[in-house]
């Protein structure tokens, strides 16, 4: 299992299958991408380049999720305020 090309081929193949499954089940693709990446981390031994690109990919996936989140429609939601308060209490300190 040496070489970047072989690792990328496996990664893109599994991510393509995850995308097809998410479309068939009508689920968001981002959680399946993250779960697939975590599962593949135990199967293949990523080198430095693949680890860096994987971390960068998670950042871009979470950024795309943030773009789809519409705050104006949920601004007055007590559930959003409660979740934000819990997040602030645990992550700020």
């Amino acid at each position: 299992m040496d070489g970047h090309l072989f690792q990328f081929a496996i990664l893109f193949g599994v991510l393509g299958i995850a995308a097809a499954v998410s479309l068939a089940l009508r689920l968001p693709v981002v959680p399946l991408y993250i779960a697939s990446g975590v599962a593949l981390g135990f199967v293949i031994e990523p080198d430095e380049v693949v680890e860096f690109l994987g971390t960068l990919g998670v950042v871009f996936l979470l950024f795309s999720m943030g773009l789809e989140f519409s705050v104006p429609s949920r601004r007055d939601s007590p559930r959003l305020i409660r979740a934000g308060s819990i997040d602030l209490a645990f992550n700020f300190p």
Side-chain angles (χ1 to χ4, degrees):
M1 285 197 192
D2 291 337
H4 301 298
L5 190 59
F6 183 71
Q7 289 181 356
F8 284 130
I10 291 174
L11 290 171
F12 284 124
V14 170
L15 293 179
I17 292 170
V21 168
S22 71
L23 288 174
L25 297 176
R26 303 180 101 186
L27 295 172
V29 73
V30 175
L32 288 177
Y33 278 170
I34 294 174
S36 298
V38 169
L40 280 175
F42 294 114
V43 175
I44 62 173
E45 186 175 328
D47 55 0
E48 298 166 355
V49 174
V50 175
E51 268 189 49
F52 173 73
L53 292 176
T55 305
L56 193 62
V58 169
V59 169
F60 284 143
L61 285 172
L62 294 175
F63 177 73
S64 70
M65 282 179 57
L67 290 177
E68 293 178 10
F69 183 71
S70 62
V71 175
S73 65
R74 301 174 192 256
R75 184 171 290 163
D76 299 327
S77 173
R79 185 175 165 193
L80 180 67
I81 294 170
R82 184 174 59 236
S85 301
I86 292 171
D87 183 47
L88 182 69
F90 281 109
N91 291 324
F92 185 70

